[in-house]
Amino acid sequence: MAKFRFRLEAALRLAERSLEEQQRLLAQEIQKLSSLQKACQDQEKVWQFALQGQEEACRTSPQDLSLWQIFSQKQIELLRQIEKEVSQQEWVVAQQRQRLLEAHQDAEKLKKLKEKQRVVFNLKEQRREQAVLDEAGQIIFGRRNSL
């Protein structure tokens, strides 16, 4: 019996490697996003602390108020910068997800094509074997009748 060979096997392997690579890249981008979100949360806590210090300085030590205001302003600027980075990283993650989806679709197309070709090959092989068996049966029947 003949063995099935998928002519696009190399393309399928490349598509599967690409899929794995896109999955790895997505994991890295999600990890970056997670760390930026954590940094954003930490920076927001620092900014909240600065606001509390500013409020406390208003009540107890007005001479320190300008220092707290400067500190608070720096912290909000840092927070806005980190929020901007988070937003950019979210966009990068979305783009990477799209690339992963495309790689997955490419690999699935080739897998389905391979399976369809395998089914067609098996059907052809079964028909060929059935034709050989039918011919052998006819030859045996012919020999028995001629005796």
Side-chain angles (χ1 to χ4, degrees):
M1 184 169 147
K3 185 178 177 185
F4 173 71
R5 284 188 40 184
F6 183 53
R7 293 183 318 164
L8 298 174
E9 191 67 41
L12 177 59
R13 282 194 309 270
L14 287 174
E16 288 173 343
R17 282 189 202 145
S18 174
L19 178 62
E20 290 170 3
E21 177 67 16
Q22 296 304 323
Q23 288 172 332
R24 187 182 62 74
L25 290 173
L26 178 61
Q28 288 175 346
E29 296 301 335
I30 288 174
Q31 188 175 10
K32 286 180 191 176
L33 177 61
S34 178
S35 66
L36 281 172
Q37 288 171 333
K38 173 83 170 87
C40 187
Q41 290 171 353
D42 293 345
Q43 184 59 40
E44 189 166 352
K45 288 176 185 175
V46 172
W47 178 61
Q48 290 295 330
F49 171 75
L51 289 178
Q52 289 173 355
Q54 189 175 350
E55 188 177 309
E56 187 68 28
C58 283
R59 280 189 235 135
T60 59
S61 56
Q63 68 276 10
D64 294 337
L65 180 60
S66 64
L67 293 174
W68 280 106
Q69 287 175 331
I70 293 170
F71 181 66
S72 176
Q73 185 62 35
K74 295 282 184 188
Q75 296 312 308
I76 191 68
E77 289 172 7
L78 286 172
L79 178 60
R80 287 182 182 144
Q81 178 62 35
I82 294 173
E83 286 174 340
K84 183 178 176 183
E85 290 174 12
V86 166
S87 177
Q88 290 171 345
Q89 189 61 29
E90 286 172 343
W91 184 83
V92 169
V93 167
Q95 293 301 311
Q96 186 58 41
R97 280 193 174 117
Q98 184 62 35
R99 286 192 289 275
L100 175 62
L101 178 63
E102 291 168 2
H104 179 71
Q105 289 172 343
D106 291 344
E108 283 301 309
K109 286 178 197 174
L110 288 169
K111 286 177 185 177
K112 286 180 182 180
L113 179 61
K114 181 179 181 177
E115 191 54 38
K116 284 180 183 179
Q117 287 182 2
R118 182 186 313 275
V119 168
V120 169
F121 174 81
N122 288 339
L123 285 173
K124 286 181 181 179
E125 194 62 26
Q126 287 173 354
R127 287 181 186 145
R128 188 187 64 75
E129 288 175 3
Q130 189 62 46
V132 169
L133 290 174
D134 289 347
E135 187 178 334
Q138 288 175 354
I139 292 172
I140 293 172
F141 182 76
R143 286 187 184 168
R144 285 189 183 160
N145 286 340
S146 64
L147 291 176

